Amino acid sequence: MKRVVYGRDMKAVDRRTIEEIGIPSMVLMERAAYSCLPYLEDKEKILVVAGTGNNGADGIALARMLYLKGKQVEIFIVGSGSGSSEWQLQMQIVKNLGISFVTTPDFSAYDSIVDAIFGVGLSRAVTGVFAEVISEINAQKHQFILAIDMP
């Protein structure tokens, strides 16, 4: 039997894993990204839509892994802010690799879209530019859409 947990429960699991067991947050991000790879093996042109939180960092790590596998991948950052230290590190890595960023993507131009905007911590209504981008992603009918953590 598979279990599904609420967001608050998953946050508690993450906190315990990091603080009590001692597995760094960065390792959890890498594992989250790595676990998404099998779903994108047959895809070639991928857009990673990333927020500025830790879910976005998961997506940025995934973009790097896809790029290193020879996939055509671009990153679209939604929102503002400096992000966590893990997010900043993931961003620096993809910039060092020369992975492309887009500011006004044509969502229909990709065969896959990765939603790494919000994670399990989301507990409010989605509004503004976030709602617009999610609506645009949801309007795509022919692409494979993969959400990290939370659809």
Side-chain angles (χ1 to χ4, degrees):
M1 173 173 63
K2 291 187 178 190
R3 293 179 179 254
V4 177
V5 297
Y6 290 102
R8 69 179 179 270
D9 299 326
M10 194 65 235
K11 284 182 78 170
V13 169
D14 283 347
R15 183 200 52 75
R16 181 173 184 267
T17 302
I18 295 165
E19 294 175 8
E20 295 177 26
I21 297 172
I23 298 173
S25 176
M26 196 69 156
V27 172
L28 298 180
M29 286 176 183
E30 293 291 314
R31 296 290 300 162
Y34 184 76
S35 70
C36 294
L37 285 175
Y39 300 99
L40 298 162
E41 284 178 339
D42 63 337
K43 308 303 180 191
E44 290 302 321
K45 190 170 184 187
I46 303 156
L47 176 66
V48 174
V49 183
T52 58
N54 284 347
N55 188 251
D58 295 346
I60 295 165
L62 176 59
R64 170 180 36 88
M65 292 175 187
L66 291 165
Y67 175 83
L68 292 173
K69 286 188 163 289
K71 305 293 183 181
Q72 183 181 349
V73 62
E74 294 179 323
I75 300 170
F76 174 48
I77 301 296
V78 181
S80 59
S82 59
S84 66
S85 59
E86 292 93 343
W87 185 87
Q88 291 175 15
L89 181 57
Q90 294 290 3
M91 283 290 286
Q92 190 57 55
I93 294 168
V94 296
K95 287 177 181 177
N96 290 345
L97 288 171
I99 297 174
S100 298
F101 287 82
V102 294
T103 56
T104 54
D106 173 3
F107 290 93
S108 66
Y110 301 90
D111 61 19
S112 300
I113 300 170
V114 175
D115 173 350
I117 303 169
F118 293 113
V120 298
L122 182 66
S123 60
R124 61 176 169 79
V126 178
T127 60
V129 67
F130 299 104
E132 293 170 18
V133 170
I134 291 169
S135 180
E136 184 68 28
I137 292 170
N138 289 340
Q140 303 309 307
K141 300 299 180 200
H142 302 290
Q143 289 87 350
F144 176 74
I145 299 171
L146 175 70
I148 300 177
D149 282 354
M150 174 184 218

